[in-house]
């Protein structure tokens, strides 16, 4: 690579990754080649090496895995000066569909590698976190929906904590041979005897300093839960200690599951491993990639393994379905928001669990929790009367043992679950009553199973404490939870991350909502149902809440559509799911579309969307270029050089949603262009129906679209204009293309801030 382009190239990369002095140092080095000596680059002790991902784009044409991996060895040989052989520095090669590797390097070595011809980006490996019986029925997707013959050819790749092979959800009785397109493998280990015709592949990836048991077996439960929600068999009589009894099933019970274990107990999930799993899943021939993993921080698309991997998947017609994150309810908390993936938020269903508390004076409280324990009665004690002198927030075990502890002072269920509930359990209490958890959303449903009898009550008058003070022998009963109707559902769970997208805010994110609160699905029997140390209860099915649970609902729904329309692009599938989604109520979630996207998925309706908004790699590239990303940056995602021939504004991305940014009381006018493809009936005429609140004028032109054949496209423009006072607020409107049979609905969102 010639000096000049090398220098420009590196500047672009390092501007994003390193401090300014580092950039200046690099600039100096680039301008004064004579200084570039081995000493200078090897001045950091070897002990300071850490793991970097070196991304080099697509596998070069005509190269086999061996040839690709030898490129990597050559780079290390040229750059790294050490006693170890070059292969000792390479932790992993991406050699199946990508070209790249993970290596243990010093910062200087990483810097030098970034300088190499063909290297697109170098970034440190970081560790990411993992983020039912009635949920499918609730969203209008009963067991007897029409099924495609091709369903059993669909393969869903699940990047997660592995699988519990013995689960009834993954039994292969009645399954035909593995689809012939499958190119994957199954890693057998002493604790994992192999795959079957239901879960047809299993691999694991671990790059890092820890020493987990290397196996595809799920020791946590998360991966079995997500895989069974997407594609688990129908298992009747599923329940957790008789709670939530019903048939547990995935959207596509005949589809196959391919397991890519990238997350490890206590060690998280690393970029290096996520990218490796994408490389394999794409080469293995999966149709859908389901990723319920999120980052703790927002990164740009070029250092985000999920964004990079998803782009490549989408380009191969594989649908990337990803969880939005559990950092809600504030705006701008979304974690996975690249325009080429489906970003999924978590909603509630119409079910909730209530747990009754009865005091000795017969006062009753209907609290909430998932309490699987049979009714208990015990002496009540106020937590404040039993402090442990050893530390704050802890209880004196001698005083609380075998009693029901009453705790207050928590601001959210989640905080209480990790505070009061665990503390009481560890201190040997018989039960715990948490008073006054004031969620931002009132009684938010995001329970996890507790290790001891528990209930979260609202006792504004402190009647429980008054009762304790009124008698020498205060007692209470905590009953087992009972299943109730949640009449407000669906609304978005408070924990679900909200948009708008922090980088490209004119693309609506999240895209969709799906059930993610108190979902019952398959679980690992190596992990207790509460996941609290000391709880020994294990069960084949368990309740879990999170956007991690919402994501596989969309992965399953996408698989369902794919089984009918194998040639649809990921954007067409997303469009069908978005335009047919059930709109949700902004009175229950003020963030409106930034909370739930186009609404709650309705896979049955999505089967006949009428029109779809398609987009492909070229559109995303134009979008990135038009958003100020350089050729070099776009190359990281796309692997294509000089991709930016022309740019489009992000408003021009052919998305089935419209987002406008406005200032309070300032007039605005925004134009959009969109193209729809006819996938309904060959001859049909659609009329534009606009719903908009006061202050908003929306003009669609033309307002009639005529189609005479399938696959025909039509282009229209939308002008959104108006003046809105107050803010920050989210103002919702919509455009529906209606031909009498199909209503193709797109949200129009004005964000006033
Ligand atoms: C391709 O990469 C994998 C993963 O690092 C590695 O195990 C394999 O040996 C590589 N293939 C070749 C032919 O070097």
């Amino acid at each position: 690579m010639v000096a000049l382009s090398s220098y420009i190239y590196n500047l672009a990369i390092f501007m994003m990754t390193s401090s300014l002095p580092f950039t200046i140092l690099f600039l100096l080095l680039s301008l004064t080649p004579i200084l570039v000596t081995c000493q200078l680059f090897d001045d950091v002790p070897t002990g300071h090496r850490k793991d970097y991902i070196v991304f080099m784009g697509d596998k070069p044409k005509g190269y086999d895995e061996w040839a690709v991996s030898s490129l990597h060895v050559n780079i290390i040989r040229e750059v790294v000066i050490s006693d170890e052989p070059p292969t000792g520095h390479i932790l992993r090669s991406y050699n199946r569909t990508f070209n790249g590797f993970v290596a243990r390097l010093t910062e200087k070595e990483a810097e030098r590698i970034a300088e190499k011809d063909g290297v697109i980006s170098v970034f440190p490996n970081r560790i990411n976190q993992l983020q039912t019986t009635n949920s499918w029925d609730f969203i209008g997707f009963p067991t007897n929906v029409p099924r495609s013959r091709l369903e059993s050819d669909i393969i869903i790749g699940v990047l997660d904590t592995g699988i519990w092979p013995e689960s009834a959800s993954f039994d292969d009785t009645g399954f035909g041979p593995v689809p012939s397109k499958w190119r994957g493998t199954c890693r057998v280990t002493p604790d994992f005897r192999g795959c079957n015709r239901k879960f047809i592949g299993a691999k694991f990836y671990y790059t890092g300093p820890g020493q987990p048991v290397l196996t595809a077996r799920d020791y946590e439960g998360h991966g079995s839960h997500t895989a069974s929600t997407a594609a688990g068999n129908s298992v009747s009589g599923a329940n957790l200690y008789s709670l939530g009894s019903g048939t547990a099933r995935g959207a596509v019970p005949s589809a196959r599951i391919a397991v890519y274990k990238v997350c490890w107990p206590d060690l998280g999930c690393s970029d290096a491993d996520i990218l490796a799993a994408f490389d394999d899943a794409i080469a293995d021939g999966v149709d859908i990639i389901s990723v319920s993993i999120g980052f703790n921080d927002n990164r740009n698309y070029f250092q985000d393994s999920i964004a990079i991997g998803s782009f490549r998947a989408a380009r191969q017609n594989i649908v990337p379905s990803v969880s939005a994150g559990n950092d809600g309810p504030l705006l701008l908390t979304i974690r996975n928001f690249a325009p080429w993936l489906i970003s999924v938020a978590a909603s509630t269903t119409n079910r909730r669990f209530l747990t009754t508390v009865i005091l000795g004076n017969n006062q009753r409280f209907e609290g909430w929790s998932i309490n699987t324990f049979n009714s208990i009665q015990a002496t009540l004690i106020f937590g404040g009367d039993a402090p442990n002198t050893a530390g704050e927030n802890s209880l004196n075990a001698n005083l609380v043992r075998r009693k029901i502890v009453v705790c207050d002072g928590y601001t959210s269920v989640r905080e209480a679950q990790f505070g009061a509930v665990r503390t009481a359990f560890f201190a040997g209490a018989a039960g715990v009553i948490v008073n006054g958890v004031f969620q931002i959303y009132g009684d938010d449903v995001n329970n996890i199973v507790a290790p001891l009898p528990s209930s979260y009550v609202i006792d504004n008058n402190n009647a429980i404490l008054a009762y304790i003070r009124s008698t020498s022998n205060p007692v209470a009963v905590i009953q087992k939870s009972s299943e109730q109707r949640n009449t407000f559902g669906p609304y978005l769970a408070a924990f679900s991350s909200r948009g708008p997208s922090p980088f490209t805010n004119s693309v609506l994110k999240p895209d969709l909502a799906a059930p993610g609160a108190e979902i019952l699905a398959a679980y690992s029997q190596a992990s207790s149902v509460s996941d609290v140390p000391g709880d020994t209860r294990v069960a084949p099915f368990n309740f879990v809440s999170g956007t991690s649970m919402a994501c596989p609902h969309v992965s399953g729904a996408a698989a369902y559509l794919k089984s009918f329309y194998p040639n649809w692009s990921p954007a067409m599938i997303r469009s069908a799911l978005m335009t047919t989604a059930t709109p949700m109520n902004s009175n229950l979630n003020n963030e409106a579309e930034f909370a739930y996207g186009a609404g709650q998925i309705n896979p049955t309706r999505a089967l006949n969307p009428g029109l779809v908004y398609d987009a492909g790699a070229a559109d995303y590239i134009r979008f990135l270029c038009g958003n100020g990303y350089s050729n070099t940056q776009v190359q990281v995602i796309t692997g294509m050089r000089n991709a930016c021939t022309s740019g489009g504004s992000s408003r021009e991305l052919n998305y089935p949603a419209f987002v406008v940014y406005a200032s309070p009381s300032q007039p605005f006018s925004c134009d959009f262009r969109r193209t729809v493809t006819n996938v309904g009936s060959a001859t049909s005429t659609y009329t534009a129906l606009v719903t908009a609140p006061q202050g908003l004028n929306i003009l669609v032109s033309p307002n009639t679209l005529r189609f005479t054949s399938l696959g025909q496209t039509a282009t229209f423009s939308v002008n959104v204009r108006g003046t809105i006072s107050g803010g920050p607020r989210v103002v919702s409107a919509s455009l529906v293309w209606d031909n009498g049979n199909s209503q193709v609905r797109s949200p129009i969102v004005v964000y006033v801030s």
Side-chain angles (χ1 to χ4, degrees):
M1 183 180 251
V2 292
L4 184 62
S5 67
S6 150
Y7 146 69
I8 292 171
Y9 173 74
N10 277 290
L11 199 59
I13 294 298
F14 283 107
M15 289 291 262
M16 297 185 294
T17 56
S18 67
S19 59
L20 193 59
F22 186 63
T23 308
I24 290 167
L25 169 72
F26 198 78
L27 212 144
L28 282 172
L29 294 174
S30 306
L31 294 176
T32 50
I34 196 144
L35 282 177
V36 182
T37 65
C38 294
Q39 266 86 9
L40 212 148
F41 281 111
D42 204 32
D43 59 0
V44 180
T46 352
H48 287 93
R49 288 196 163 99
K50 51 181 189 174
D51 299 349
Y52 284 87
I53 294 166
V54 179
F55 199 69
M56 303 170 68
D58 286 339
K59 181 164 102 169
K61 284 222 160 50
Y63 277 56
D64 60 12
E65 288 176 24
W66 188 86
V68 177
S69 286
S70 66
L71 289 176
H72 308 156
V73 174
N74 285 342
I75 290 180
I76 293 292
R77 184 171 289 135
E78 286 170 33
V79 168
V80 175
I81 293 147
S82 100
D83 299 334
E84 251 186 288
T87 45
H89 287 268
I90 298 182
L91 302 171
R92 173 178 303 287
S93 269
Y94 304 129
N95 54 23
R96 296 192 68 197
T97 60
F98 308 160
N99 178 11
F101 58 97
V102 185
R104 200 150 281 173
L105 303 167
T106 65
E107 215 172 326
K108 302 280 180 200
E109 287 161 354
E111 199 178 320
R112 286 192 77 190
I113 287 180
E115 197 181 351
K116 290 276 166 204
D117 197 8
V119 172
I120 290 173
S121 78
V122 179
F123 57 95
N125 183 27
R126 284 183 271 187
I127 310 298
N128 314 304
Q129 303 301 322
L130 282 167
Q131 301 275 5
T132 178
T133 43
N134 80 341
S135 58
W136 289 114
D137 289 305
F138 175 66
I139 60 173
F141 191 68
T143 341
N144 60 354
V145 291
R147 294 283 174 185
S148 157
R149 271 188 309 113
L150 295 180
E151 188 173 303
S152 63
D153 283 343
I154 299 290
I155 306 167
I156 303 184
V158 183
L159 274 55
D160 212 301
T161 63
I163 194 166
W164 190 257
E166 293 82 13
S167 170
S169 299
F170 309 126
D171 188 284
D172 71 348
T173 307
F175 276 79
V178 167
S180 57
K181 67 184 175 189
W182 176 242
R183 298 275 168 273
T185 53
C186 186
R187 287 285 299 274
V188 174
T189 51
D191 64 347
F192 195 90
R193 276 178 308 179
C195 297
N196 65 18
R197 289 176 170 194
K198 175 68 189 178
F199 61 100
I200 58 177
K203 287 181 185 164
F204 51 82
Y205 307 82
Y206 183 73
T207 310
Q211 289 186 320
V213 183
L214 293 175
T215 170
R217 180 175 287 276
D218 178 10
Y219 282 99
E220 295 177 80
H222 192 276
S224 305
H225 204 279
T226 54
S228 64
T229 300
N233 297 325
S234 285
V235 182
S236 59
N239 64 72
L240 179 67
Y241 297 101
S242 82
L243 291 181
S245 221
T247 299
R249 63 190 167 100
V252 277
S254 313
R256 322 291 178 131
I257 294 164
V259 177
Y260 300 89
K261 178 166 173 172
V262 294
C263 300
W264 300 88
D266 304 321
L267 297 167
C269 341
S270 78
D271 278 312
D273 298 331
I274 291 171
L275 217 41
F278 268 104
D279 186 27
D280 273 339
I282 294 168
D284 289 348
V286 305
D287 297 287
I288 314 285
I289 294 182
S290 188
V291 189
S292 290
I293 300 169
F295 308 99
N296 294 327
D297 53 344
N298 283 338
R299 316 177 198 180
N300 66 50
Y301 302 139
F302 310 103
Q303 301 194 339
D304 177 340
S305 55
I306 296 178
I308 296 173
S310 295
F311 183 91
R312 279 145 204 286
R315 206 178 43 183
Q316 305 286 325
N317 244 17
I318 300 165
V319 182
S321 164
V322 184
S323 55
N326 295 340
D327 298 300
L330 298 180
L331 288 172
L332 283 163
T333 48
I334 187 163
R335 297 307 189 196
N336 288 305
F337 42 77
W340 44 84
L341 52 78
I342 310 183
S343 172
V344 189
S347 54
T348 62
T349 65
N350 61 346
R351 183 183 65 194
R352 57 182 306 185
F353 293 100
L354 289 185
T355 308
T356 307
V357 170
I358 308 168
L359 305 184
N361 64 3
N362 279 330
Q363 261 194 289
R364 291 172 79 96
F365 293 87
E366 293 297 335
W368 65 97
S369 67
I370 300 180
N371 178 27
T372 58
F373 296 96
N374 288 330
S375 187
I376 59 148
Q377 175 167 340
T379 303
L380 270 183
I381 183 167
F382 178 57
D385 294 341
N388 182 349
T389 38
E392 236 178 285
N393 274 337
S394 60
L395 293 165
N396 184 330
N398 291 327
L399 295 176
V400 305
R401 188 166 297 129
R402 287 195 281 278
K403 294 180 184 156
I404 295 174
V405 190
V406 178
C407 298
D408 58 14
Y410 290 93
T411 53
S412 75
V413 170
R414 204 143 273 216
E415 202 185 290
Q417 279 162 344
F418 285 94
V421 173
R422 284 184 178 224
T423 309
F425 177 68
F426 294 145
V432 60
I433 298 170
V434 181
N435 173 26
V437 170
F438 290 107
Q439 280 291 114
I440 296 170
Y441 278 71
D443 57 350
D444 190 16
V445 186
N446 63 358
N447 281 306
I448 48 178
V449 176
L452 79 173
S454 63
S455 183
Y456 305 91
V457 301
I458 294 179
D459 172 21
N460 289 330
N461 304 321
N462 275 322
I464 301 176
L465 191 56
Y467 165 67
I468 291 174
R469 296 282 182 255
S470 74
T471 166
S472 58
N473 183 24
V475 293
V477 168
I478 302 177
Q479 292 185 342
K480 187 172 180 175
S481 297
S482 63
E483 202 171 316
Q484 307 281 335
R485 277 187 78 79
N486 181 7
T487 43
F488 292 113
Y491 50 88
L492 213 71
F495 61 76
S496 189
S497 287
R498 269 62 169 174
S501 161
F503 295 142
T504 34
N505 52 25
S506 55
V507 175
L508 180 64
K509 289 286 166 180
D511 297 284
L512 289 160
E518 300 178 344
I519 303 297
L520 185 73
Y523 211 64
S524 164
Q525 295 201 45
S527 176
S528 79
V529 291
S530 67
D531 207 25
V532 175
D535 186 356
T536 52
R537 296 168 307 151
V538 294
F541 293 90
N542 195 13
F543 290 102
V544 191
S545 299
T547 52
S548 284
M549 284 64 237
C551 162
H553 279 87
V554 168
S555 312
Y560 179 66
L561 295 186
K562 189 105 183 166
S563 72
F564 285 88
Y565 310 113
N567 298 324
W568 278 17
S569 71
M572 289 166 84
I573 287 176
R574 177 174 59 194
S575 173
L577 289 168
M578 286 176 76
T579 61
T580 59
T582 310
M584 290 172 67
N585 185 345
S586 63
N587 292 331
L588 298 173
N589 298 108
N590 295 330
E591 312 82 20
E593 280 80 6
F594 293 132
Y596 42 70
Q600 181 168 269
I601 54 162
N602 184 341
T604 319
R605 277 199 67 205
L607 210 46
N608 297 298
L611 305 173
V612 290
Y613 295 74
D614 195 8
D619 301 280
Y620 297 125
I621 291 167
R622 217 173 313 121
F623 157 86
L624 287 169
C625 299
N627 277 272
Y629 292 99
S630 67
N631 263 321
T632 314
Q633 291 171 317
V634 170
Q635 204 184 334
V636 179
I637 294 285
T638 64
M640 291 155 75
R641 280 163 193 264
N642 301 316
C644 290
T645 45
S646 68
S649 98
S650 52
R651 259 187 274 127
E652 279 169 36
L653 183 66
N654 201 35
Y655 223 76
F658 305 84
V659 181
V660 175
Y661 276 67
S663 303
S665 307
Q666 299 280 309
F668 58 86
S669 172
C670 246
D671 291 304
F672 300 86
R673 255 169 76 86
R674 292 289 188 270
T675 299
V676 283
T677 307
N678 182 20
V679 294
S681 47
T683 315
S684 59
T685 303
Y686 285 84
T687 316
L689 306 173
V690 166
T691 313
Q694 281 239 310
L696 214 55
N697 282 305
I698 298 171
L699 199 71
V700 182
S701 136
N703 63 7
T704 302
L705 302 175
R706 285 194 176 78
F707 295 93
T708 52
S709 64
L710 281 179
Q712 194 182 352
T713 61
T715 297
F716 61 92
S717 66
V718 176
N719 175 268
V720 183
R721 177 160 73 74
T723 311
I724 294 168
S725 58
R729 56 191 277 223
V730 183
V731 177
S732 304
S734 67
L735 161 65
V736 175
W737 287 107
D738 191 345
N739 72 345
N741 287 324
S742 300
Q743 288 75 40
V744 190
R745 181 181 183 276
S746 287
I748 300 173
V749 192
V750 183
Y751 183 41
V752 187
S753 70

